[in-house]
Amino acid sequence: MMKYNKIIDLVKSGNFSVGDKTFKLTGTITPEEIMHFKGLIGKEMKVLDIGVGKGVSTALFSSICDKEVVGIDPYQTTEHNGSCEMLCVALDIKKPVIVEKMSIECFNEEALLDEKFDFIFIDGYHTFDATLVDFLIVEDKLKDGGLIAFHDCYYRSKQKVLNFALKNRDYELLDQKPKAERGLIKRVARCIYHALFKYKTNLPLTIKLLRPGKTDSSLVIIRKKSDYKPLYSEYFKF
C-alpha cells in the first residue's frame, strides 16, 4: 500500500500508536486534501511546512519528496509530543527537518539559509498577525512559479492575508482544487453558513477564495508570478 493511503487510513481512524504511546490526529488535513497534495507536489520539489502540528502534512510531503522537507513548529515537542517524528516512524517515512522555533526566529537556521522552496504550506497559528508574519517571512524563500498553500481559510484572518498577497504582491489564485466530498447543494449551503454565521466573513470574498462550486475544502493555494513588491509610496487596500 502506498504511504499516502496509509496516512489517509490513520487520519480516518483519528490516531496512531508507536510502542505503548498513542497519538491523536485531530485538526489535520483531510483525505481529499491529502490526495490533492499527492497530485500537486512532485518528488523533485523542495517543501517547507509551517505549523507541523500532528505531523500529517509534513509526513505526507516527506513521503512524496526526494529532497529534505523542512517543518517549522515551536511546539512540536512541548505540545505535540513529537507527533510528526513518531508518525514518520509508524509509517516508515524518512524524517523531515523540524525547526522548533517560530517562523520569525528562523532567519539564520541552516535548514532555511540560502534555500528556495517550490512549495510552502502555511498552517500555523490562525490569527491575522501570525499568519501575515508567516507569509512575509517565507515569501522571499519561494521560487518564482512556486506555490503557497493556506489551510483553514474560512477564518477571516486567513482571508485577509490572502487578499493582501493577491493585491499587494504578484500572486495568482490557483484554480485547481481538492476533490469535493459533499454534493454541490450541501457544500454551497455550508459555505454560505460559514461565511454569514459561523466565521462572519465577507461572502463574495469567501466564494472567490474557496470556490464552493468546485470543492468543500478550506485549502487555498496561490502561485507566485514574480518578486514584485509595491513601492513604499504605494498601497492597495485589502
Side-chain angles (χ1 to χ4, degrees):
M1 184 185 291
M2 299 297 289
K3 300 293 185 184
Y4 56 83
N5 286 332
K6 291 182 180 179
I7 295 173
I8 288 173
D9 288 342
L10 290 181
V11 168
K12 287 181 177 179
S13 72
N15 62 74
F16 71 96
S17 297
V18 176
D20 59 351
K21 289 186 177 182
T22 298
F23 299 82
K24 291 185 177 180
L25 294 177
T26 54
T28 71
I29 55 176
T30 67
E32 291 74 28
E33 290 164 350
I34 290 171
M35 292 304 297
H36 186 63
F37 281 138
K38 178 217 169 234
L40 191 69
I41 297 173
K43 64 180 182 178
E44 74 289 345
M45 293 174 73
K46 183 74 176 174
V47 174
L48 173 64
D49 190 353
I50 300 179
V52 174
K54 302 304 179 183
V56 172
S57 58
T58 320
L60 173 68
F61 301 148
S62 196
S63 74
I64 295 172
C65 301
D66 289 339
K67 296 181 179 179
E68 200 169 56
V69 171
V70 180
I72 295 175
D73 190 334
Y75 309 111
Q76 186 56 205
T77 299
T78 57
E79 185 175 327
H80 300 294
N81 300 313
S83 179
C84 181
E85 181 177 347
M86 291 299 99
L87 181 58
C88 290
V89 170
L91 293 166
D92 192 24
I93 293 171
K94 67 180 184 295
K95 297 175 185 177
V97 174
I98 303 295
V99 181
E100 294 197 50
K101 293 182 179 181
M102 300 181 71
S103 61
I104 200 168
E105 301 173 314
C106 292
F107 286 105
N108 296 319
E109 287 295 319
E110 185 177 348
L112 296 172
L113 205 60
D114 300 323
E115 287 286 354
K116 284 282 188 176
F117 294 89
D118 301 283
F119 184 89
I120 297 174
F121 188 36
I122 296 180
D123 193 21
Y125 199 50
H126 289 357
T127 62
F128 168 76
D129 52 332
T131 305
L132 181 61
V133 166
D134 286 343
F135 171 74
L136 294 175
I137 289 297
V138 301
E139 63 169 332
D140 289 334
K141 297 288 185 182
L142 185 68
K143 297 176 182 177
D144 286 353
L147 306 176
I148 296 185
F150 294 80
H151 199 233
D152 295 319
C153 290
Y154 274 111
Y155 285 94
R156 187 184 304 180
S157 55
K158 297 289 187 81
Q159 293 184 13
K160 274 287 186 182
V161 175
L162 278 161
N163 218 24
F164 167 82
L166 291 168
K167 291 188 176 181
N168 288 274
R169 297 290 190 269
D170 193 15
Y171 286 83
E172 62 181 350
L173 190 62
L174 201 68
D175 193 50
Q176 187 179 354
K177 296 288 181 179
K179 182 180 177 182
E181 178 184 10
R182 302 170 182 83
L184 177 61
I185 294 176
K186 284 186 177 180
R187 64 177 181 265
V188 170
R190 176 174 174 265
C191 183
I192 293 172
Y193 166 72
H194 280 9
L196 297 182
F197 301 102
K198 187 173 182 179
Y199 296 100
K200 295 181 173 60
T201 53
N202 178 278
L203 182 58
L205 179 60
T206 301
I207 290 173
K208 174 188 174 183
L209 292 173
L210 292 168
R211 308 279 179 89
K214 293 190 175 184
T215 187
D216 49 5
S217 170
S218 67
L219 186 70
V220 176
I221 305 175
I222 57 177
R223 187 194 308 276
K224 184 177 182 179
K225 297 169 67 178
S226 75
D227 284 323
Y228 162 81
K229 292 179 182 177
L231 298 173
Y232 73 91
S233 57
E234 295 179 316
Y235 169 76
F236 303 99
K237 188 176 180 180
F238 64 97

